[in-house]
Amino acid sequence: MGLKELSRVSGLSACERKSFIFLRKELPVRLANIMKEIHLLPDNLLKMPSVGIVNNLYAASFEDIMQFEKVEVSETTLDKFCQTLVKIRNRHKDIVQTMAHGVLELKECHDVDVQTENNIQYFLDRFLMSRISIRMLINQHTLLFGSELNGHSRHVGSIDPSCDIISVVKDAYEKARLLCDQYYLASPELLVEQHNGKFEKYFERCSEIRIVYVPSHLFHILFELFKNSMRAVMEHYNNSDSDYPSIAVIVSRGKEDICVKMSDRGGGIPRSQMDHLFKYMYSTAPRPTQIDAHTVPLAGYGYGLPVSRLYARYFHGDLVLQSCDGYGTDAIVYLKALSNEANELLPIFNKTSSKFYRTAVSNTDWSSQCGSGMNTRQLRMS
Ligand code: W6P
């Protein structure tokens, strides 16, 4: 579904009944798809207790929704349905941690080969994306038709039809800054600039960059990026410098994309480390022991970055990082400028997806040395 439909189908003009009819079919499909996929996980991981727990929670939620399969639609049914959705949302609240724990358990008991690591990466991207989509549907229904109703705001459920990007940037910065100040007793300043394409010249007062979007998703992404940038800056200048280089954010609107570029001067990351930032297996390394139990590190060792990228991709955006080692890092969040292009990106379970888990990682056909590479070629040619 698209952002437009998500706000319309279960929106003001449509009714609770329509949304109910849609969800009682759609939710079991999405739950079942991901349960099928859980069973394709490497055997070692499937055997981990945490994965069993996750599977049981999905099964329970599937059954809860199936209770509504053939019931007649009445006021009572609709009320019960809302309550069931809230129950399901709570039940799955900590599932990301549980899954991450399962991956840690696996790492502790077994050597994880490249093939297994690839499978887990592929699975978690799809599992977590499916979870984002299911929560989006549940939130829309319960916000619009449940008791959480807020009639005053312009929001349609969790969607803001006129989401002001710069306000979300400033909000995420302030929240990250609180954590940064707590941990490092200082924080970098924020510089924001906007480039609103052709609109800028004509209407100074209407030139805010606004789009149809889910502000909580954008907040999640930017908060994560700010935490990473702030940590990099603070650690890079870990002497008693009081002048930390600011974090610079540029928000731009083109015909197709909205871009939010966040640049820090935190010393950058080597190119060889770049891909690891989005790897679940890499980020589930046990935390280094904390010196002070009351302060938490600002960022890192979580699923923060890969999940943020999924939030961006969910409505056909993206998140990319680029770094100059020794200088600093740029993170760019891409969003679709037009809401009719912002449709849900969903994992589907089919032959291609199941094949992925069985296909071995192929050997590379590039070589960096003439040693062994040449030898095999010579051997084959002779
Ligand atoms: C860094 C590492 C990083 C990750 C994500 C976003 C910003 C930054 N800056 O040094």
Side-chain angles (χ1 to χ4, degrees):
M1 279 221 275
L3 268 167
K4 270 191 182 160
E5 289 79 22
L6 277 164
S7 56
R8 210 186 307 120
V9 166
S10 44
L12 305 176
S13 58
C15 61
E16 185 173 358
R17 194 190 153 91
K18 269 191 188 162
S19 179
F20 165 75
I21 304 273
F22 169 71
L23 289 180
R24 75 168 163 188
K25 202 171 144 210
E26 183 66 15
L27 286 172
V29 169
R30 295 193 190 193
L31 291 169
N33 265 305
I34 216 66
M35 285 162 77
K36 287 284 262 182
E37 204 144 325
I38 289 178
H39 288 287
L40 296 178
L41 279 170
D43 272 343
N44 290 337
L45 185 55
L46 260 181
K47 280 190 228 125
M48 294 301 150
S50 316
V51 180
I53 294 172
V54 170
N55 199 37
N56 290 341
L57 295 181
Y58 270 78
S61 298
F62 182 84
E63 276 183 26
D64 282 352
I65 305 249
M66 290 313 278
Q67 304 290 316
F68 294 90
E69 192 185 10
K70 292 208 171 92
V71 290
E72 241 180 84
V73 193
S74 70
E75 192 86 1
T76 341
T77 315
L78 292 175
D79 283 347
K80 272 201 197 134
F81 189 67
C82 260
Q83 288 162 19
T84 303
L85 292 185
V86 173
K87 187 169 100 188
I88 292 174
R89 185 170 59 204
N90 290 333
R91 177 186 286 142
H92 291 245
K93 186 166 49 76
D94 301 321
I95 243 170
V96 181
Q97 287 95 309
T98 313
M99 211 61 203
H101 188 73
V103 173
L104 267 178
E105 286 174 324
L106 176 74
K107 259 178 148 174
E108 276 160 21
C109 326
H110 302 275
D111 271 340
V112 181
D113 57 20
V114 185
Q115 167 89 29
T116 308
E117 196 184 317
N118 271 354
N119 281 351
I120 291 172
Q121 182 74 22
Y122 180 84
F123 170 78
L124 283 175
D125 271 335
R126 297 164 64 84
F127 174 77
L128 296 171
M129 187 66 111
S130 151
R131 181 175 185 272
I132 289 172
S133 82
I134 291 170
R135 291 182 92 75
M136 176 82 202
L137 294 181
I138 291 180
N139 288 342
Q140 282 309 88
H141 189 88
T142 55
L143 280 168
L144 288 168
F145 310 114
S147 47
E148 306 154 37
L149 204 66
N150 176 0
H152 298 299
S153 86
R154 62 171 177 255
H155 288 216
V156 183
S158 60
I159 298 167
D160 182 349
S162 185
C163 176
D164 174 5
I165 308 283
I166 297 226
S167 319
V168 184
V169 169
K170 289 183 175 161
D171 191 19
Y173 167 78
E174 291 302 334
K175 302 273 161 42
R177 177 186 216 177
L178 284 179
L179 295 186
C180 187
D181 282 333
Q182 224 173 57
Y183 193 65
Y184 295 103
L185 308 174
S187 48
E189 295 294 319
L190 169 70
L191 294 174
V192 203
E193 244 181 73
Q194 70 157 343
H195 296 276
N196 195 359
K198 59 178 181 184
F199 297 105
E200 205 151 34
K201 293 183 223 132
Y202 305 114
F203 323 98
E204 204 169 303
R205 284 183 53 229
C206 317
S207 69
E208 291 147 353
I209 298 180
R210 290 174 177 274
I211 54 168
V212 186
Y213 208 71
V214 183
S216 61
H217 290 187
L218 183 59
F219 178 90
H220 183 108
I221 299 167
L222 294 171
F223 180 58
E224 182 61 33
L225 293 177
F226 273 122
K227 285 191 293 179
N228 276 282
S229 283
M230 285 178 185
R231 182 177 71 162
V233 170
M234 301 313 286
E235 301 273 333
H236 192 54
Y237 294 81
N238 59 2
N239 41 34
S240 53
D241 283 337
S242 53
D243 254 359
Y244 296 96
S246 308
I247 295 173
V249 173
I250 292 178
V251 181
S252 71
R253 188 215 297 264
K255 280 206 190 77
E256 238 185 276
D257 302 318
I258 305 279
C259 306
V260 183
K261 180 166 91 170
M262 188 185 297
S263 309
D264 69 55
R265 283 197 269 148
I269 353 166
R271 206 157 57 95
S272 61
Q273 296 297 303
M274 219 52 188
D275 284 348
H276 295 319
L277 293 178
F278 290 104
K279 283 187 184 156
Y280 300 101
M281 288 299 279
Y282 192 77
S283 56
T284 36
R287 280 162 189 269
T289 40
Q290 281 169 24
I291 307 151
D292 177 351
H294 300 290
T295 47
V296 287
L298 194 54
Y301 312 109
Y303 286 180
L305 286 174
V307 169
S308 294
R309 186 168 67 178
L310 291 178
Y311 272 113
R313 288 183 174 172
Y314 177 50
F315 286 123
H316 288 267
D318 207 351
L319 164 61
V320 298
L321 297 178
Q322 276 192 332
S323 196
C324 294
D325 195 14
Y327 178 71
T329 303
D330 286 356
I332 308 184
V333 182
Y334 294 101
L335 306 172
K336 285 287 180 192
L338 306 170
S339 59
N340 58 355
E341 289 183 10
N343 298 309
E344 284 185 291
L345 175 68
L346 295 174
I348 49 170
F349 182 80
N350 58 19
K351 281 205 175 111
T352 309
S353 59
S354 61
K355 211 163 86 186
F356 183 91
Y357 293 93
R358 284 180 275 110
T359 311
V361 189
S362 62
N363 287 321
T364 179
D365 44 5
W366 290 87
S367 159
S368 57
Q369 77 251 11
C370 39
S372 58
M374 281 293 267
N375 284 343
T376 43
R377 196 156 74 213
Q378 278 159 358
L379 272 176
R380 259 189 236 124
M381 280 161 62
S382 58

